């Protein structure tokens, strides 16, 4: 049975990862500096399904692989996903406990002898004087309690990093000593009182650095709007983080994802056919994964041809439509004015002004401003308007991808053989 590495319901495997070259090498270079006790921290931001967690997973993979071509990094790494309304104390405690699972017995013994009551049985229990459980029930944030949390985190990480330094002085050990610690916190938008987190992290990082334990890095993952809240309580913390915003992938990177998966499954393909069809995914990592999965599943002769692509595009369009956007767009119903507007926005290469949208929408009647479509579409979240420029675009690239795939899947059917479809074709050619 052929192997299908495309799995839209899980994080992309490193073997299939493509693109994001600038971001990857930026982090790798900075992590080599962290090894030399110059702390660096990172924020990966972008909309849902854009590949934030996949990039973090690759960074973690590289950071512990000792790959000589990629700075020979060997960090102690941990990954934690924040749950809805979770306190940051609980997040930090869980992340640090995941680190202890990777430490040798000698390091555990060291922590036990130095950290007292808040490290028992090989696990941390953070909180002001042991009242963590009660404090976590309180929704308000107490700066004094943050102070205890900060001090405990500093104490814990100091002892872990000291242990790493001691390991470097023991050349007889079989395993290469660690370079430092990388802590990844995903979905930070879920943390309660997010506006207090940046200040705590900045204090921890700065104190460790000043005390000679700067081989520590935090990697935060969330949506752009949540990152604004993250820094709200401490704007100066922005200096401590490198921003890594993610957008859609260019066609060549999207093609690379597919060819890697096809090669792994030992399926033959025509590069020109891939090139002719890849723009239907809109450069959105999630839709690329769904499309790749369907192409492998549909293929029955070990060669992916145009017929396979036609079927896979239709199947992918259906999946994205029914799972994500059925309340925003009538994929199976009558093409109304709102669908016509959304179709044009889906095929426009970049955000568009109202006047240009009106021009494309109906050359006979440019009075789009009088239409109820725009207010309605903004109200239900189908489109967004840039506050500074007033330019319009779809609410996400995934939505754009779903509509584009829908148009492509219907291109041979009579209901789109109209003057509207000719408009779509011209817009697609402009891309």
């Amino acid at each position: 049975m052929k192997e299908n590495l495309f799995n839209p319901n899980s994080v992309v495997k490193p073997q299939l990862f493509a693109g994001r070259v600038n971001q990857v090498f930026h982090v790798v270079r900075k992590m080599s500096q962290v090894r030399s006790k110059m702390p660096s921290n990172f924020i990966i931001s972008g909309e849902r399904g854009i590949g934030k967690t996949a990039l973090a997973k690759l960074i973690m993979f590289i950071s512990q692989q000792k790959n000589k071509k990629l700075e020979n990094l060997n960090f102690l790494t941990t990954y934690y996903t924040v749950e809805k309304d979770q306190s940051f104390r609980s997040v930090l405690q869980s992340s640090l406990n995941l680190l202890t699972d990777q430490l040798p017995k000698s390091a555990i013994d060291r922590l036990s002898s130095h950290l007292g009551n808040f490290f028992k049985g090989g696990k941390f229990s953070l909180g002001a004087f042991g009242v963590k459980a009660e404090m976590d029930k309180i929704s308000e944030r107490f700066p004094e309690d943050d102070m205890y949390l900060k001090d405990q985190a500093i104490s814990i990480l100091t002892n872990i990093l000291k242990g790493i330094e001691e390991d470097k002085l023991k050349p007889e050990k079989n395993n290469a000593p660690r370079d430092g610690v990388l802590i990844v916190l995903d979905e930070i938008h879920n943390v309660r009182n997010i506006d207090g987190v940046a200040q705590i992290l900045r204090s921890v990082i700065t104190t460790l650095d000043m005390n000679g334990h700067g081989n520590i890095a935090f990697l935060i993952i969330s949506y752009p709007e949540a990152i604004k809240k993250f820094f709200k309580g401490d704007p100066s913390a922005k200096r401590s983080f490198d921003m890594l915003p993610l957008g859609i992938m260019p066609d060549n990177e999207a093609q690379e994802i597919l060819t890697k998966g096809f090669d792994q499954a030992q399926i033959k393909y025509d590069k020109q056919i891939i090139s002719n069809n890849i723009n239907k995914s809109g450069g959105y990592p999630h839709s690329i994964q769904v499309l790749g999965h369907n192409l492998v599943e549909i293929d029955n002769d070990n060669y992916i041809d145009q017929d396979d692509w036609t079927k896979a595009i239709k199947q992918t369009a259906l999946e994205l439509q029914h799972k994500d956007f059925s309340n925003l767009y009538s994929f199976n119903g009558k093409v109304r004015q709102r669908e016509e507007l959304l179709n044009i926005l889906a095929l426009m290469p970049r955000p568009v002004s109202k006047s240009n949208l009106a021009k494309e929408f109906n050359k006979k009647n440019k009075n789009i401003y009088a239409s109820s479509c725009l207010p309605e579409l903004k109200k239900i979240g189908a489109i967004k308007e840039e506050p500074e420029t007033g330019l319009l675009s779809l609410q996400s690239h995934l939505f754009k991808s779903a509509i584009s795939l829908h148009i492509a899947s219907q291109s041979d059917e009579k209901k789109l053989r109209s003057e509207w479809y000719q408009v779509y074709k011209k817009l697609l050619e402009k891309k």
Side-chain angles (χ1 to χ4, degrees):
M1 181 180 293
K2 58 188 175 185
E3 184 179 13
N4 193 341
L5 285 183
F6 299 104
N7 188 350
N9 299 318
S10 70
V11 181
V12 176
K13 296 181 179 181
Q15 305 98 296
L16 280 188
F17 195 93
R20 314 300 192 198
V21 174
N22 292 336
Q23 292 93 336
V24 171
F25 280 105
H26 174 81
V27 175
V28 168
R29 286 193 298 270
K30 283 296 189 79
M31 290 301 292
S32 70
Q33 297 175 9
V34 174
R35 177 173 51 199
S36 301
K37 299 187 178 181
M38 296 190 299
S40 289
N41 305 282
F42 315 94
I43 289 181
I44 299 176
S45 63
E47 62 184 62
R48 179 172 61 94
I50 201 68
K52 301 184 296 295
T53 302
L55 176 58
K57 184 175 182 179
L58 179 66
I59 289 170
M60 290 179 64
F61 180 78
I62 294 172
S63 295
Q64 54 191 336
Q65 280 300 297
K66 294 178 285 186
N67 188 320
K68 293 182 179 179
K69 295 181 179 180
L70 294 170
E71 302 292 348
N72 200 31
L73 302 176
N74 186 27
F75 277 79
L76 187 67
T77 68
T78 182
Y79 169 89
Y80 187 77
T81 302
V82 181
E83 298 295 330
K84 180 69 174 176
D85 203 34
Q86 188 174 0
S87 71
F88 189 61
R89 180 190 299 102
S90 172
V91 171
L92 197 54
Q93 176 178 291
S94 299
S95 299
L96 293 172
N97 281 328
L98 288 172
L99 280 179
T100 64
D101 293 338
Q102 306 173 59
L103 295 174
K105 184 179 182 301
S106 59
I108 298 297
D109 292 341
R110 176 190 176 87
L111 293 171
S112 298
S113 63
H114 285 77
L115 297 179
N117 291 332
F118 62 92
F119 186 72
K120 291 183 178 180
K123 295 294 179 182
F124 302 106
S125 181
L126 306 185
F129 305 112
V131 295
K132 177 187 77 66
E134 288 302 314
M135 294 296 289
D136 275 352
K137 294 178 183 178
I138 303 174
S139 60
E140 297 176 289
R141 189 170 65 83
F142 289 85
E144 184 178 0
D145 189 51
D146 285 353
M147 179 185 70
Y148 289 116
L149 177 61
K150 178 198 74 174
D151 290 344
Q152 289 173 340
I154 290 170
S155 183
I156 291 167
L157 289 168
T158 295
N159 280 276
I160 291 175
L161 294 168
K162 278 185 176 179
I164 289 174
E165 289 301 307
E166 290 175 359
D167 286 344
K168 291 181 179 180
L169 301 177
K170 300 174 182 178
E172 71 277 4
K173 293 191 68 173
N174 293 326
N175 294 326
R178 300 286 190 171
D179 295 326
V181 173
L182 170 63
I183 297 175
V184 180
L185 302 178
D186 202 350
E187 299 193 27
I188 199 70
H189 52 271
N190 282 331
V191 77
R192 186 192 313 158
N193 297 311
I194 187 174
D195 59 332
V197 175
Q199 184 176 12
I200 296 174
L201 290 180
R202 181 176 63 84
S203 298
V204 170
I205 296 160
T206 302
T207 304
L208 289 170
D209 184 24
M210 293 297 292
N211 291 334
H213 305 297
N215 46 335
I216 174 80
F218 284 90
L219 194 160
I220 306 298
I221 306 171
S222 194
Y223 306 127
E225 57 271 21
I227 299 304
K228 294 179 182 178
K229 296 178 182 178
F230 176 80
F231 287 121
K232 185 177 180 181
D234 186 14
S236 62
K238 291 179 181 180
R239 296 194 299 267
S240 300
F241 290 87
D242 289 2
M243 305 300 294
L244 305 172
L246 300 186
I248 60 172
M249 306 184 80
D251 286 350
N252 64 309
E253 294 180 359
Q255 289 181 56
E256 186 181 348
I257 294 175
L258 294 181
T259 55
K260 281 184 175 181
F262 299 156
D263 290 340
Q264 186 72 30
Q266 297 184 330
I267 297 175
K268 297 179 181 179
Y269 52 89
D270 186 312
K271 289 185 178 180
Q272 187 58 51
I273 292 178
I274 296 178
S275 180
N276 292 342
N277 289 277
I278 192 60
N279 65 344
K280 309 299 191 305
S281 70
Y284 205 84
H286 178 67
S287 58
I288 295 168
Q289 287 292 316
V290 178
L291 188 56
H293 179 84
N294 289 331
L295 282 165
V296 173
E297 293 300 308
I298 287 170
D299 169 65
N300 57 18
D301 60 0
N302 207 41
Y303 178 78
I304 296 178
D305 57 18
Q306 184 57 53
D307 185 54
D308 295 326
W309 270 92
T310 301
K311 295 176 182 177
I313 287 172
K314 183 169 291 190
Q315 179 62 30
T316 301
L318 288 172
E319 290 181 30
L320 292 178
Q321 293 155 19
H322 294 304
K323 290 183 179 180
D324 295 274
F325 305 115
S326 59
N327 62 321
L328 302 180
Y329 184 102
S330 179
F331 290 99
N332 298 316
K334 181 181 179 181
V335 178
R336 300 164 294 176
Q337 189 182 62
R338 58 186 279 180
E339 276 72 38
E340 293 172 346
L341 274 174
L342 292 172
N343 287 344
I344 291 178
L345 285 172
L347 293 172
M348 296 297 276
R350 57 187 62 85
V352 62
S353 67
K354 292 179 182 178
S355 58
N356 284 337
L357 181 59
K359 183 178 179 180
E360 295 292 349
F361 176 69
N362 194 332
K363 298 183 183 300
K364 295 180 181 179
N365 178 16
K366 297 183 180 181
N367 191 18
I368 193 173
Y369 306 98
S371 167
S372 62
C373 280
L374 288 180
E376 177 192 2
L377 291 172
K378 284 193 282 187
K379 183 177 180 180
I380 65 175
I383 64 175
K384 57 186 178 183
E385 183 175 353
E386 296 179 6
E388 295 182 358
T389 64
L391 297 179
L392 300 170
S393 60
L394 296 181
Q395 56 105 314
S396 72
H397 288 294
L398 187 58
F399 188 32
K400 183 185 185 83
S401 197
I403 296 176
S404 297
L405 285 163
H406 172 68
I407 294 171
S409 70
Q410 301 295 319
S411 62
D412 293 328
E413 298 184 16
K414 290 182 179 179
K415 64 180 180 180
L416 280 182
R417 296 227 176 253
S418 65
E419 62 177 275
W420 273 107
Y421 185 58
Q422 300 307 315
V423 174
Y424 304 151
K425 285 177 65 178
K426 289 178 181 178
L427 289 170
L428 195 57
E429 289 169 1
K430 291 181 181 179
K431 295 177 68 178

